Amino acid sequence: PDVIASGNTFLVSWTRHYRIVQLLNPAVLEAAACWWDPTGNGSLVVVSSGTTGVGMELDRDYSVRDCSGVADTVLLRTSADQITAGVVYPAQTEFSSTSDGNRTFEIRIASFTLDTSTATPTLSTEGPWVLHDDVPFDGELGVDANHPVAGVVLPDATDTGTNDRFFLAYEDQKRVWDFGANALLRRGRIHLEVVQAVHAIQPGGAVSVAGWEVTDSHVFGSSTDVLRRRANLSSFPDADPAGEDHVAIAFGKLDRSAGDDREVVFEHWSAADSGLVRVDWPNGAGWQNSPTNDDWRSVPLLGTQAPLVARCLAERAVGTTGQIVRYDVASDTED
Protein backbone atom coordinates (compact mmCIF):
# COMPACT_ATOMS: atom_id res chain seq x y z
CA PRO A 1 0.00 0.00 0.00
CA ASP A 2 0.96 3.66 -0.43
CA VAL A 3 -0.20 6.42 1.93
CA ILE A 4 -0.21 10.20 1.73
CA ALA A 5 -1.54 12.74 4.25
CA SER A 6 -3.60 15.88 3.74
CA GLY A 7 -4.28 17.68 6.98
CA ASN A 8 -5.54 15.04 9.42
CA THR A 9 -6.66 12.68 6.65
CA PHE A 10 -4.73 9.73 5.23
CA LEU A 11 -5.39 8.62 1.65
CA VAL A 12 -4.41 5.02 0.90
CA SER A 13 -4.18 2.92 -2.27
CA TRP A 14 -3.07 -0.66 -2.88
CA THR A 15 -3.14 -3.48 -5.41
CA ARG A 16 -5.05 -6.64 -4.63
CA HIS A 17 -3.07 -9.28 -6.49
CA TYR A 18 -4.51 -12.66 -7.45
CA ARG A 19 -1.71 -15.12 -8.19
CA ILE A 20 -3.36 -17.22 -10.91
CA VAL A 21 -0.83 -17.92 -13.65
CA GLN A 22 -3.40 -19.05 -16.19
CA LEU A 23 -5.19 -15.70 -15.92
CA LEU A 24 -1.96 -13.66 -16.08
CA ASN A 25 -2.25 -12.62 -12.44
CA PRO A 26 -5.26 -10.28 -12.55
CA ALA A 27 -5.37 -7.44 -10.03
CA VAL A 28 -7.77 -4.91 -8.55
CA LEU A 29 -6.69 -1.38 -7.61
CA GLU A 30 -8.37 -0.23 -4.40
CA ALA A 31 -8.37 2.88 -2.22
CA ALA A 32 -9.63 4.23 1.10
CA ALA A 33 -9.51 7.33 3.27
CA CYS A 34 -9.12 7.31 7.05
CA TRP A 35 -8.56 9.61 10.01
CA TRP A 36 -8.57 9.47 13.78
CA ASP A 37 -11.69 10.77 15.50
CA PRO A 38 -10.65 11.96 19.01
CA THR A 39 -14.21 12.33 20.34
CA GLY A 40 -15.45 9.90 22.98
CA ASN A 41 -12.97 7.07 23.42
CA GLY A 42 -11.42 7.79 20.02
CA SER A 43 -11.78 5.67 16.90
CA LEU A 44 -10.41 5.21 13.41
CA VAL A 45 -12.84 6.37 10.74
CA VAL A 46 -12.45 4.50 7.44
CA VAL A 47 -14.25 5.47 4.24
CA SER A 48 -14.01 2.88 1.48
CA SER A 49 -16.34 0.38 -0.20
CA GLY A 50 -18.42 -0.38 2.87
CA THR A 51 -17.09 -3.95 3.08
CA THR A 52 -14.54 -4.58 5.82
CA GLY A 53 -11.08 -5.12 4.38
CA VAL A 54 -12.07 -4.15 0.83
CA GLY A 55 -11.30 -0.74 -0.61
CA MET A 56 -13.12 1.40 -3.15
CA GLU A 57 -12.42 -0.11 -6.58
CA LEU A 58 -10.46 2.13 -8.99
CA ASP A 59 -9.53 -0.44 -11.67
CA ARG A 60 -9.88 -4.20 -12.13
CA ASP A 61 -8.89 -7.17 -14.28
CA TYR A 62 -5.56 -5.76 -15.40
CA SER A 63 -2.43 -7.89 -15.25
CA VAL A 64 0.50 -7.43 -12.88
CA ARG A 65 2.25 -10.75 -13.55
CA ASP A 66 5.83 -9.44 -13.88
CA CYS A 67 5.56 -5.99 -12.29
CA SER A 68 3.76 -6.62 -8.95
CA GLY A 69 1.44 -3.71 -9.71
CA VAL A 70 3.30 -1.30 -7.41
CA ALA A 71 1.05 1.80 -7.13
CA ASP A 72 1.92 5.30 -5.94
CA THR A 73 -0.49 7.87 -4.48
CA VAL A 74 -0.21 11.62 -5.10
CA LEU A 75 -2.25 14.59 -3.89
CA LEU A 76 -4.09 16.27 -6.80
CA ARG A 77 -6.33 18.94 -5.27
CA THR A 78 -8.03 20.06 -2.05
CA SER A 79 -10.95 22.30 -1.11
CA ALA A 80 -12.91 23.05 2.05
CA ASP A 81 -14.73 19.71 2.01
CA GLN A 82 -13.02 17.61 -0.68
CA ILE A 83 -9.62 15.95 -1.08
CA THR A 84 -8.64 14.25 -4.36
CA ALA A 85 -5.74 11.86 -4.73
CA GLY A 86 -4.35 10.25 -7.88
CA VAL A 87 -2.91 6.76 -8.15
CA VAL A 88 -0.25 5.94 -10.77
CA TYR A 89 0.37 2.25 -11.47
CA PRO A 90 1.64 -0.19 -14.15
CA ALA A 91 -0.44 -2.74 -16.07
CA GLN A 92 1.25 -5.45 -18.16
CA THR A 93 0.18 -5.78 -21.80
CA GLU A 94 2.93 -7.95 -23.39
CA PHE A 95 4.19 -11.17 -21.81
CA SER A 96 7.16 -13.48 -22.17
CA SER A 97 7.34 -17.20 -21.54
CA THR A 98 10.93 -16.87 -20.22
CA SER A 99 12.49 -14.88 -17.40
CA ASP A 100 14.75 -13.12 -19.92
CA GLY A 101 12.09 -12.09 -22.43
CA ASN A 102 10.41 -8.94 -23.74
CA ARG A 103 7.63 -7.26 -21.79
CA THR A 104 5.50 -4.15 -22.30
CA PHE A 105 3.49 -2.15 -19.79
CA GLU A 106 0.98 0.67 -19.60
CA ILE A 107 1.21 3.40 -17.00
CA ARG A 108 -2.29 4.25 -15.83
CA ILE A 109 -3.80 6.96 -13.64
CA ALA A 110 -6.97 6.75 -11.57
CA SER A 111 -8.24 9.13 -8.89
CA PHE A 112 -10.54 9.14 -5.88
CA THR A 113 -12.16 12.00 -3.97
CA LEU A 114 -13.15 12.13 -0.30
CA ASP A 115 -16.21 14.34 0.22
CA THR A 116 -16.94 15.43 3.80
CA SER A 117 -19.66 17.98 3.00
CA THR A 118 -22.36 15.74 4.50
CA ALA A 119 -22.72 13.90 7.79
CA THR A 120 -21.72 10.67 6.05
CA PRO A 121 -18.41 11.13 4.15
CA THR A 122 -18.22 9.43 0.76
CA LEU A 123 -15.63 8.36 -1.81
CA SER A 124 -16.04 8.79 -5.57
CA THR A 125 -13.68 7.71 -8.36
CA GLU A 126 -12.53 8.88 -11.80
CA GLY A 127 -10.69 7.00 -14.52
CA PRO A 128 -8.69 5.00 -15.14
CA TRP A 129 -6.78 6.71 -17.95
CA VAL A 130 -3.75 5.42 -19.84
CA LEU A 131 -0.82 7.87 -19.70
CA HIS A 132 1.73 5.65 -21.51
CA ASP A 133 0.88 2.50 -23.49
CA ASP A 134 4.30 1.21 -24.62
CA VAL A 135 6.74 1.08 -21.70
CA PRO A 136 9.26 -1.74 -22.26
CA PHE A 137 10.99 -3.76 -19.59
CA ASP A 138 12.97 -6.37 -21.50
CA GLY A 139 15.51 -8.81 -20.16
CA GLU A 140 15.96 -10.43 -16.79
CA LEU A 141 13.61 -9.33 -14.06
CA GLY A 142 16.26 -7.77 -11.86
CA VAL A 143 19.68 -6.22 -11.92
CA ASP A 144 21.02 -9.57 -13.03
CA ALA A 145 20.26 -13.26 -12.63
CA ASN A 146 21.66 -13.23 -9.08
CA HIS A 147 19.58 -10.24 -7.98
CA PRO A 148 15.99 -10.97 -9.05
CA VAL A 149 13.28 -8.46 -8.19
CA ALA A 150 9.54 -8.66 -8.72
CA GLY A 151 8.64 -4.98 -8.98
CA VAL A 152 9.42 -3.24 -12.29
CA VAL A 153 8.43 0.09 -13.92
CA LEU A 154 7.87 1.36 -10.33
CA PRO A 155 6.22 4.76 -10.89
CA ASP A 156 6.76 7.41 -8.22
CA ALA A 157 4.73 10.64 -8.12
CA THR A 158 4.84 13.78 -5.99
CA ASP A 159 2.69 16.89 -6.08
CA THR A 160 3.76 20.31 -7.36
CA GLY A 161 1.43 22.43 -5.24
CA THR A 162 -0.65 23.22 -8.35
CA ASN A 163 -4.04 21.52 -8.69
CA ASP A 164 -4.07 18.53 -11.08
CA ARG A 165 -0.32 18.76 -11.82
CA PHE A 166 2.40 16.46 -10.49
CA PHE A 167 5.90 15.13 -11.07
CA LEU A 168 6.26 11.50 -12.20
CA ALA A 169 9.28 9.22 -12.44
CA TYR A 170 9.42 5.65 -13.75
CA GLU A 171 11.89 3.17 -15.23
CA ASP A 172 12.13 1.23 -18.47
CA GLN A 173 14.57 -1.34 -19.85
CA LYS A 174 15.03 -2.23 -23.50
CA ARG A 175 17.29 -4.42 -25.62
CA VAL A 176 19.44 -2.23 -27.87
CA TRP A 177 22.02 -3.32 -30.46
CA ASP A 178 25.48 -2.15 -29.41
CA PHE A 179 27.71 -1.92 -32.48
CA GLY A 180 30.91 -1.69 -30.42
CA ALA A 181 30.10 -4.86 -28.52
CA ASN A 182 28.40 -6.42 -31.57
CA ALA A 183 25.67 -7.69 -29.31
CA LEU A 184 22.21 -7.02 -27.95
CA LEU A 185 22.63 -5.28 -24.62
CA ARG A 186 20.13 -3.82 -22.21
CA ARG A 187 19.68 -0.10 -21.66
CA GLY A 188 17.96 1.01 -18.47
CA ARG A 189 16.48 4.50 -18.35
CA ILE A 190 14.70 6.76 -15.86
CA HIS A 191 11.97 9.12 -17.02
CA LEU A 192 11.17 12.36 -15.17
CA GLU A 193 7.94 14.03 -16.29
CA VAL A 194 5.52 16.82 -15.48
CA VAL A 195 1.96 15.49 -15.81
CA GLN A 196 -1.11 17.70 -15.99
CA ALA A 197 -4.84 17.11 -16.26
CA VAL A 198 -6.79 17.81 -19.44
CA HIS A 199 -10.02 19.48 -18.34
CA ALA A 200 -13.41 19.48 -20.02
CA ILE A 201 -16.35 21.82 -19.40
CA GLN A 202 -19.59 19.96 -18.85
CA PRO A 203 -23.13 21.24 -19.56
CA GLY A 204 -23.93 23.75 -16.86
CA GLY A 205 -20.32 24.91 -16.58
CA ALA A 206 -18.89 22.19 -14.33
CA VAL A 207 -15.24 21.34 -15.00
CA SER A 208 -14.11 17.69 -15.02
CA VAL A 209 -10.91 15.79 -15.79
CA ALA A 210 -11.03 14.29 -19.28
CA GLY A 211 -7.55 12.78 -19.21
CA TRP A 212 -3.88 13.41 -18.46
CA GLU A 213 -0.94 14.53 -20.57
CA VAL A 214 2.84 14.91 -20.20
CA THR A 215 3.74 18.59 -20.56
CA ASP A 216 7.50 18.19 -20.13
CA SER A 217 9.97 15.34 -19.71
CA HIS A 218 13.61 14.35 -19.33
CA VAL A 219 15.20 10.93 -19.85
CA PHE A 220 18.25 9.77 -17.92
CA GLY A 221 20.33 7.23 -19.79
CA SER A 222 21.28 6.45 -23.37
CA SER A 223 24.31 4.15 -23.06
CA THR A 224 23.87 0.39 -23.33
CA ASP A 225 24.87 -2.09 -20.63
CA VAL A 226 24.05 0.54 -18.00
CA LEU A 227 20.93 -0.05 -15.94
CA ARG A 228 19.08 2.68 -14.04
CA ARG A 229 16.44 1.63 -11.55
CA ARG A 230 14.19 2.53 -8.62
CA ALA A 231 13.64 6.27 -8.99
CA ASN A 232 12.23 8.18 -6.03
CA LEU A 233 11.06 11.80 -5.88
CA SER A 234 10.70 14.49 -3.23
CA SER A 235 9.14 17.91 -3.74
CA PHE A 236 8.52 20.99 -1.62
CA PRO A 237 5.53 22.75 -3.21
CA ASP A 238 5.50 26.55 -3.24
CA ALA A 239 8.97 26.77 -1.66
CA ASP A 240 10.28 29.04 -4.40
CA PRO A 241 9.09 32.68 -4.26
CA ALA A 242 9.57 32.83 -8.05
CA GLY A 243 6.76 30.31 -8.43
CA GLU A 244 8.79 27.47 -9.90
CA ASP A 245 8.07 23.90 -8.82
CA HIS A 246 11.09 22.00 -7.52
CA VAL A 247 11.76 18.26 -7.27
CA ALA A 248 14.67 16.10 -6.18
CA ILE A 249 15.18 12.76 -7.90
CA ALA A 250 17.38 9.87 -6.80
CA PHE A 251 17.90 6.51 -8.50
CA GLY A 252 20.38 3.68 -8.75
CA LYS A 253 22.82 3.35 -11.65
CA LEU A 254 24.59 0.06 -12.39
CA ASP A 255 27.35 -0.08 -14.99
CA ARG A 256 27.68 -3.69 -16.09
CA SER A 257 30.72 -2.90 -18.22
CA ALA A 258 32.55 -1.63 -15.12
CA GLY A 259 32.20 -4.71 -12.94
CA ASP A 260 28.60 -4.03 -11.91
CA ASP A 261 29.56 -0.91 -9.96
CA ARG A 262 26.49 0.62 -8.33
CA GLU A 263 26.07 4.28 -7.52
CA VAL A 264 23.28 6.70 -6.66
CA VAL A 265 22.35 9.63 -8.89
CA PHE A 266 20.88 12.53 -6.85
CA GLU A 267 19.76 15.64 -8.73
CA HIS A 268 17.63 18.78 -8.32
CA TRP A 269 15.21 19.95 -11.06
CA SER A 270 12.72 22.78 -11.44
CA ALA A 271 9.66 23.11 -13.66
CA ALA A 272 8.45 26.48 -14.89
CA ASP A 273 7.01 27.83 -18.13
CA SER A 274 10.39 27.19 -19.78
CA GLY A 275 10.19 23.48 -18.96
CA LEU A 276 12.21 21.08 -16.84
CA VAL A 277 15.61 22.52 -15.93
CA ARG A 278 18.41 20.89 -13.93
CA VAL A 279 19.46 23.00 -10.94
CA ASP A 280 23.07 22.71 -9.81
CA TRP A 281 23.67 21.89 -6.19
CA PRO A 282 25.70 24.55 -4.34
CA ASN A 283 28.84 22.40 -4.55
CA GLY A 284 28.44 21.94 -8.28
CA ALA A 285 28.72 18.23 -8.94
CA GLY A 286 26.61 16.94 -6.05
CA TRP A 287 27.02 13.58 -4.41
CA GLN A 288 29.96 11.64 -5.81
CA ASN A 289 29.60 8.01 -4.74
CA SER A 290 32.83 6.20 -4.01
CA PRO A 291 33.72 3.61 -6.70
CA THR A 292 34.86 1.26 -3.93
CA ASN A 293 31.33 1.13 -2.46
CA ASP A 294 28.06 -0.15 -3.87
CA ASP A 295 25.19 2.31 -3.22
CA TRP A 296 21.59 1.43 -4.10
CA ARG A 297 17.90 1.99 -3.19
CA SER A 298 17.98 5.72 -2.57
CA VAL A 299 15.43 8.07 -0.98
CA PRO A 300 15.71 11.85 -1.58
CA LEU A 301 14.49 14.66 0.65
CA LEU A 302 13.95 18.20 -0.66
CA GLY A 303 12.87 20.97 1.71
CA THR A 304 13.07 24.73 1.66
CA GLN A 305 15.07 26.58 -0.97
CA ALA A 306 16.48 29.34 1.25
CA PRO A 307 18.24 27.96 3.12
CA LEU A 308 18.45 24.83 1.01
CA VAL A 309 17.47 21.59 2.73
CA ALA A 310 18.36 18.60 0.57
CA ARG A 311 19.48 15.15 1.66
CA CYS A 312 19.61 11.63 0.26
CA LEU A 313 19.57 8.26 2.02
CA ALA A 314 20.84 5.08 0.38
CA GLU A 315 21.85 1.51 1.10
CA ARG A 316 25.61 0.94 0.94
CA ALA A 317 27.46 -2.36 0.75
CA VAL A 318 31.06 -2.25 2.01
CA GLY A 319 32.43 -5.76 1.60
CA THR A 320 29.94 -7.95 3.44
CA THR A 321 28.63 -5.10 5.63
CA GLY A 322 25.40 -3.28 4.90
CA GLN A 323 24.97 0.37 5.89
CA ILE A 324 22.52 3.25 5.54
CA VAL A 325 24.38 6.36 4.38
CA ARG A 326 23.08 9.94 4.38
CA TYR A 327 24.36 12.72 2.14
CA ASP A 328 23.67 16.36 3.06
CA VAL A 329 23.93 18.88 0.23
CA ALA A 330 24.39 22.02 2.33
CA SER A 331 27.46 20.68 4.13
CA ASP A 332 28.56 18.41 1.25
CA THR A 333 29.15 15.58 3.71
CA GLU A 334 27.93 12.04 4.20
CA ASP A 335 27.59 9.94 7.35
Side-chain angles (χ1 to χ4, degrees):
D2 190 54
V3 185
I4 61 171
S6 178
N8 296 323
T9 302
F10 296 97
L11 304 168
V12 192
S13 68
W14 64 91
T15 301
R16 188 179 298 276
H17 186 184
Y18 297 93
R19 297 192 61 84
I20 307 172
V21 175
Q22 296 89 333
L23 297 180
L24 305 179
N25 298 99
V28 178
L29 183 68
E30 299 178 6
C34 60
W35 62 90
W36 181 257
D37 182 359
T39 60
N41 294 324
S43 61
L44 181 67
V45 179
V46 179
V47 182
S48 59
S49 66
T51 301
T52 301
V54 179
M56 177 69 73
E57 185 177 295
L58 304 181
D59 197 359
R60 70 175 297 109
D61 293 339
Y62 62 97
S63 176
V64 296
R65 188 179 75 175
D66 293 325
C67 67
S68 295
V70 179
D72 199 65
T73 313
V74 60
L75 185 66
L76 295 180
R77 73 189 88 95
T78 62
S79 64
D81 50 23
Q82 289 189 340
I83 306 172
T84 300
V87 185
V88 187
Y89 57 103
Q92 190 165 359
T93 56
E94 180 185 4
F95 304 84
S96 173
S97 60
T98 70
S99 62
D100 192 29
N102 297 337
R103 301 167 185 82
T104 304
F105 300 86
E106 293 179 343
I107 293 181
R108 299 183 182 181
I109 302 175
S111 67
F112 61 103
T113 298
L114 171 68
D115 190 322
T116 58
S117 60
T118 62
T120 304
T122 60
L123 278 186
S124 60
T125 67
E126 289 184 294
W129 300 274
V130 176
L131 181 65
H132 296 292
D133 61 3
D134 189 22
V135 178
F137 206 96
D138 304 339
E140 300 156 359
L141 287 180
V143 172
D144 54 45
N146 296 319
H147 300 85
V149 61
V152 299
V153 183
L154 298 175
D156 191 55
T158 186
D159 66 292
T160 64
T162 301
N163 283 351
D164 293 338
R165 185 172 185 258
F166 61 91
F167 291 108
L168 172 66
Y170 63 93
E171 60 186 21
D172 71 16
Q173 186 168 285
K174 189 173 181 63
R175 298 179 193 273
V176 178
W177 183 263
D178 188 299
F179 289 94
N182 196 32
L184 271 175
L185 300 176
R186 282 178 290 157
R187 177 193 64 198
R189 304 184 301 179
I190 298 294
H191 298 254
L192 175 63
E193 299 176 342
V194 180
V195 180
Q196 188 163 317
V198 177
H199 292 107
I201 300 178
Q202 304 297 327
V207 177
S208 64
V209 175
W212 296 86
E213 63 180 356
V214 176
T215 59
D216 204 358
S217 63
H218 177 79
V219 179
F220 300 85
S222 59
S223 54
T224 56
D225 223 22
V226 178
L227 307 184
R228 293 164 183 84
R229 296 219 55 206
R230 297 182 176 275
N232 279 305
L233 301 176
S234 175
S235 64
F236 195 87
D238 304 322
D240 188 343
E244 295 182 351
D245 298 318
H246 290 256
V247 66
I249 183 170
F251 57 87
K253 176 183 175 183
L254 183 144
D255 189 344
R256 304 196 67 170
S257 65
D260 281 2
D261 175 56
R262 305 184 188 202
E263 62 181 33
V264 168
V265 176
F266 178 39
E267 293 190 0
H268 178 191
W269 288 73
S270 71
D273 292 340
S274 58
L276 275 170
V277 178
R278 185 178 180 274
V279 181
D280 287 337
W281 295 122
N283 62 0
W287 193 10
Q288 298 298 299
N289 306 149
S290 169
T292 61
N293 299 325
D294 274 340
D295 297 335
W296 202 248
R297 293 187 178 90
S298 50
V299 179
L301 170 66
L302 183 66
T304 57
Q305 299 300 306
L308 178 68
V309 175
R311 300 184 177 95
C312 187
L313 300 173
E315 295 180 7
R316 170 169 293 177
V318 182
T320 58
T321 303
Q323 303 174 349
I324 300 294
V325 62
R326 180 188 66 172
Y327 171 70
D328 179 79
V329 169
S331 62
D332 191 22
T333 59
E334 62 178 47
D335 55 28

